[in-house]
Amino acid sequence: MISTKGAESGGDQPCFRLEPLNTHLPDKAGDSHLLFRDPSKVTDNGVQDIEDRILRITGYYGYYPGYSSHRREEGSDSHADTPGSEASEEGTSYQTCANAVLKVLGGLLLVLCVSFSWVGTTQLVQLTFKSFSCPFFVSWFSTNWNILLFPLYYGGHVVTTRDKQTPIQRFRECSRLFGEDGMTLKLFLKRTAPFSILWTLTNYLYLLALRKLTATDVSALYCCHKAFVFLLSWIVLKDRFMGVRIVAAIMAITGIVMMAYADGFHGDSIIGVALAVGSASTSALYKVLFKMFLGSANLGEVAHFLSTMGIFNLIFISFIPLILYFTKVEHWGSLSSLPWGYLCGLAGLWLVFNILVNLGVVLTYPILISIGTLLSVPGNAVVDVLKHEVIFSVVHLAATCIICLGFLLLLLPEEWDSVTLRFLATFADKKSEEHSEELTDSSIHTHSRSRANGAVSIPMA
């Protein structure tokens, strides 16, 4: 709008005002626009923007006065905001991916360490039994080493955290696993005694089974404890029913029967199978009762609990090896004649296995720790074949494979079916979108070729 005004003061002065001239652009889609700019949109030096003049003259679609300056302002704002936000988003996503990759790599390393420690423990037990066949003494001696778990945990706590606590303060804080009042003598006996008995039975039956069967068979049968945990959790804890886990439990039972059938349901084979299944059952009962009475626990509470069980084992279960010694059930000579190298190595590997299992659940994915336990089966099989020259029958191999497959099915998460369905639906939608985009691109290409060749489509009346 251009206007001419007289002096604003000094009486009635005539005022002349030129009305704006609106010129419409004919035959253009959209709204009509002014050909002349408002002086308010003029640049500082009084000259209109060259780009606006060119767009006005050429009749650019969608032009309005100040179009180019408005676009530049938007562009400057977006450039001012976008780099920082994009950098922050990229940094966050990169950090998330890096953490996930490190967690997976650490989990894979822990898987190998768990598998090697359990294979080493099992093989070293059989080597120890060649010169010292006293399974209960071996179990009792190895369990006593659990006392070292809490001191080791406290050492790691002091190194990795800034909040320094005395051992007594940390011990009392971890004692809250037993209740708000901490650990009393009554709770010590009430909570620790049943778990110590189940722990001792699990280890003792496992060692007895290793005297009857190969390490591969015993480690495969012990993997059935996962199926027993599911069944007990479903019955006792009222956990969610899952059909795939019932199938896995049936597969585990089938593998047990096939393992017993491999040697004809007689002799040491059936006794060894029964002992290994008993060890898996007591292990499952231990885990279900721990979840029922103590719930979930952090690393410090678990280290405290296992050290407490080691103390209970040293104080209250030490009389059993003495009874077995005097009754000639487990007799050994002088203390100097004991294979202390094998015993200490065995107890050390067992301690490392317990540390890795409990540490891995905290630092990485629990499913990887279960896979590490499962990998001990092929690990023991390799050692048995190469070192002990064991020849496995077809029935043994089939039973082992069925048990391992059932173990893997039990590792599926509870929402695996809905997750699988969502993944398949997303995959199908992506395929349909890609197909529609291909059809659109092909139609555009065909249309462009027809225009290039001068072909004109005449609509039918």
Side-chain angles (χ1 to χ4, degrees), residues 70-272:
H70 180 69
R71 289 295 297 268
R72 282 196 298 272
E73 291 175 358
E74 289 182 351
S76 62
D77 293 340
S78 63
H79 286 298
D81 297 339
T82 302
S85 60
E86 287 182 354
S88 61
E89 291 178 358
E90 289 179 358
T92 303
S93 61
Y94 176 78
Q95 185 177 3
T96 303
C97 293
N99 291 335
V101 169
L102 289 176
K103 194 172 183 180
V104 171
L105 291 178
L108 294 177
L109 181 62
L110 278 175
V111 164
L112 296 177
C113 293
V114 168
S115 179
F116 287 151
S117 62
W118 192 237
V119 170
T121 301
T122 305
Q123 295 294 331
L124 198 54
V125 166
Q126 291 192 329
L127 289 176
T128 304
F129 283 166
K130 292 181 179 180
S131 58
F132 184 73
S133 184
C134 299
F136 193 91
F137 181 86
V138 172
S139 174
W140 171 82
F141 181 78
S142 301
T143 305
N144 289 334
W145 283 50
N146 285 346
I147 300 174
L148 300 175
L149 280 172
F150 186 80
L152 292 174
Y153 160 76
Y154 179 75
H157 169 76
V158 170
V159 172
T160 57
T161 59
R162 296 180 180 178
D163 185 16
K164 308 300 182 183
Q165 292 179 324
T166 63
I168 300 299
Q169 290 175 341
R170 195 62 189 170
F171 188 85
R172 288 177 178 174
E173 183 176 342
C174 295
S175 298
R176 294 178 183 176
L177 178 67
F178 294 92
E180 294 296 330
D181 298 332
M183 186 178 64
T184 62
L185 180 60
K186 181 180 178 181
L187 286 176
F188 172 74
L189 297 175
K190 182 179 179 181
R191 298 294 190 188
T192 309
F195 291 104
S196 295
I197 294 172
L198 289 174
W199 179 281
T200 302
L201 280 176
T202 299
N203 295 339
Y204 181 56
L205 293 175
Y206 188 85
L207 297 179
L208 285 177
L210 285 173
R211 295 203 304 184
K212 305 291 184 181
L213 301 175
T214 62
T216 305
D217 293 343
V218 176
S219 58
L221 290 169
Y222 183 75
C223 288
C224 295
H225 78 276
K226 201 76 174 177
F228 299 152
V229 167
F230 163 69
L231 293 176
L232 289 174
S233 300
W234 177 42
I235 296 171
V236 179
L237 302 180
K238 307 300 180 183
D239 282 359
R240 178 186 172 187
F241 173 82
M242 292 181 62
V244 67
R245 293 187 177 178
I246 289 293
V247 173
I250 295 174
M251 294 176 67
I253 296 172
T254 304
I256 293 171
V257 175
M258 292 178 64
M259 194 74 73
Y261 171 76
D263 293 328
F265 292 103
H266 60 80
D268 291 342
S269 176
I270 189 65
I271 297 175

Side-chain angles (χ1 to χ4, degrees), residues 331-407:
H331 184 73
W332 62 89
S334 61
L335 294 178
S336 60
S337 63
L338 295 180
W340 290 112
Y342 285 156
L343 290 175
C344 293
L346 170 60
L349 281 176
W350 217 323
L351 180 66
V352 169
F353 174 78
N354 290 325
I355 292 175
L356 292 175
V357 168
N358 293 286
L359 185 65
V361 171
V362 176
L363 297 181
T364 184
Y365 305 100
I367 189 174
L368 296 178
I369 306 303
S370 299
I371 293 175
T373 305
L374 179 64
L375 289 179
S376 66
V377 178
N380 280 312
V382 171
V383 176
D384 286 341
V385 171
L386 297 180
K387 185 175 182 179
H388 304 293
E389 298 181 353
V390 177
I391 299 176
F392 296 102
S393 64
V394 177
V395 179
H396 272 98
L397 293 177
T400 302
C401 293
I402 290 174
I403 293 174
C404 293
L405 182 59
F407 187 91

